[in-house]
Amino acid sequence: MCDALPGRTLRSSGDARRTPCPSRSEAIALLTLDLHPIFRNNRDIDLALRETLFRAARTGVDVVEIIPVKGTGQLKKRVLAFLAQKHIKKLYVRVETDATNTGRILVHLR
């Protein structure tokens, strides 16, 4: 995993290698959170969302991709409600839902 800052590296979990990061002009850093494994547990969903967004903001990731479970759309509504909280809104610039893929939410960070 990369923190997208030129000349800096991060160690990814389970991997002892260190990978150099491209400069911001070369690539956009993307962090993905898949909610499929935890979609039934509300507490785990909130915790995963919070941890992912704070980690992305701390490491300089540009975009967080959140993949809620397709279905009735209740989890997607829950994620959007979580993102609408005042203290969470301070972390990002905009939220984008993919028109072609309803099971994908993109959060563009500052």
Side-chain angles (χ1 to χ4, degrees), residues 31-55:
L31 185 62
T32 300
L33 172 62
D34 188 356
L35 296 176
H36 285 94
I38 59 171
F39 75 95
R40 292 184 190 268
N41 189 329
N42 292 332
R43 189 169 148 197
D44 287 347
I45 291 167
D46 287 347
L47 182 62
L49 287 167
R50 187 174 291 109
E51 285 179 351
T52 302
L53 288 172
F54 284 128
R55 181 175 52 181

Side-chain angles (χ1 to χ4, degrees), residues 10-83:
L10 279 180
R11 185 175 301 202
S12 59
S13 59
D15 187 7
R17 294 178 293 138
R18 295 177 67 90
T19 308
C21 299
S23 68
R24 284 202 184 269
S25 62
E26 293 176 18
I28 293 176
L30 175 73
L31 185 62
T32 300
L33 172 62
D34 188 356
L35 296 176
H36 285 94
I38 59 171
F39 75 95
R40 292 184 190 268
N41 189 329
N42 292 332
R43 189 169 148 197
D44 287 347
I45 291 167
D46 287 347
L47 182 62
L49 287 167
R50 187 174 291 109
E51 285 179 351
T52 302
L53 288 172
F54 284 128
R55 181 175 52 181
R58 184 178 60 246
T59 59
V61 172
D62 299 315
V63 179
V64 174
E65 176 185 37
I66 302 170
I67 303 171
V69 180
K70 287 186 180 180
T72 63
Q74 293 302 309
L75 183 55
K76 184 175 181 178
K77 288 177 188 175
R78 180 177 176 80
V79 170
L80 293 173
F82 175 86
L83 293 171

